Amino acid sequence: NRIHLKHRGGGATMILIALESLIGLQIYPKAFVPTAAWTEEQSTLPIKNIKQLIRDCRYNIDLEKPLDQFPDSYITFKSGAIIKAFAGGNPQAIHGRRALWGYLDEFALTRYQRELIEAFNYFFTEGGQLSIISTAYGRTNEFWDILQNYKKMGYYRLSEQRVRSMREGRGSSTLM
């Protein structure tokens, strides 16, 4: 699992969620990628970013239907791959098939942090990677606890410098 303390406007949602997922879904054609964030608007941002990447891409990406027919909550690919956004305010409603990787964006701002991690852990019961990405929001929440104890809790901490290098094309990202 990974954790990343981001700052606003740094591109973490675009780089770590949208671009990484789009590339990953080309490598793992039947994968399911769940994402969630504290509001519906924030949770659909990766899907909107992926749609823009697909529009801008020179490589043909086969989708189940035309891109403009998808809502901002999911995209399905002809290969069977799916990326789906969930609103983090209702962890009980989060469900789907097993996943290789998934994302909790702006996790520190979510209300039910422990329940959200539990809901997402279901996706990874057979292995996989959860990436928790957020700006800071106080020191009395699950995000801060994980950030302070990431090694002991089995997380890899992404640095802002690494994300900046990935955005500038100087480094590589690891999905797994």
Side-chain angles (χ1 to χ4, degrees):
N1 293 339
R2 302 182 304 181
I3 188 162
H4 177 58
L5 175 62
K6 70 177 187 173
H7 63 84
R8 287 274 176 209
T13 300
M14 178 63 136
I15 298 293
L16 291 177
I17 301 177
L19 186 57
E20 187 173 84
S21 292
L22 185 58
I23 291 168
L25 291 172
Q26 304 311 299
I27 297 168
Y28 300 99
K30 296 201 180 300
F32 171 65
V33 180
T35 69
W38 67 298
T39 65
E40 185 176 344
E41 180 182 342
Q42 182 70 30
S43 67
T44 60
L45 186 58
I47 305 296
K48 292 174 186 174
N49 288 337
I50 289 173
K51 285 180 172 183
Q52 190 59 51
L53 287 168
I54 291 170
R55 282 185 205 97
D56 294 344
C57 188
R58 294 181 186 191
Y59 170 80
N60 184 36
I61 297 173
D62 292 325
L63 303 174
E64 185 180 75
K65 57 188 176 185
L67 189 60
D68 60 347
Q69 291 181 12
F70 285 104
D72 287 336
S73 59
Y74 73 93
I75 298 173
T76 54
F77 298 78
K78 276 191 179 176
S79 64
I82 300 171
I83 182 163
K84 184 171 182 179
F86 296 94
N90 187 7
Q92 296 82 8
I94 295 174
H95 62 282
R97 63 189 200 213
R98 299 295 190 261
L100 290 176
W101 69 93
Y103 305 91
L104 294 174
D105 194 17
E106 290 299 2
F107 180 69
L109 302 172
T110 60
R111 186 178 203 175
Y112 306 105
Q113 293 178 8
R114 212 166 263 138
E115 294 86 348
L116 198 52
I117 287 179
E118 287 175 16
F120 262 66
N121 281 340
Y122 166 81
F123 296 124
F124 310 114
T125 55
E126 297 173 5
Q129 177 178 273
L130 173 61
S131 294
I132 299 175
I133 304 162
S134 189
T135 50
Y137 188 68
R139 296 180 177 197
T140 57
N141 58 51
E142 195 75 19
F143 177 73
W144 187 259
D145 290 344
I146 295 169
L147 195 61
Q148 297 307 303
N149 301 296
Y150 67 93
K151 285 183 183 175
K152 186 168 53 173
M153 297 176 81
Y155 283 81
Y156 171 78
R157 184 169 178 186
L158 288 171
S159 69
E160 195 61 42
Q161 180 181 3
R162 180 171 177 124
V163 172
R164 199 173 305 113
S165 294
M166 289 163 46
R167 185 177 58 234
E168 294 169 2
R170 296 184 315 214
S172 63
S173 169
T174 55
L175 268 177
M176 303 293 167

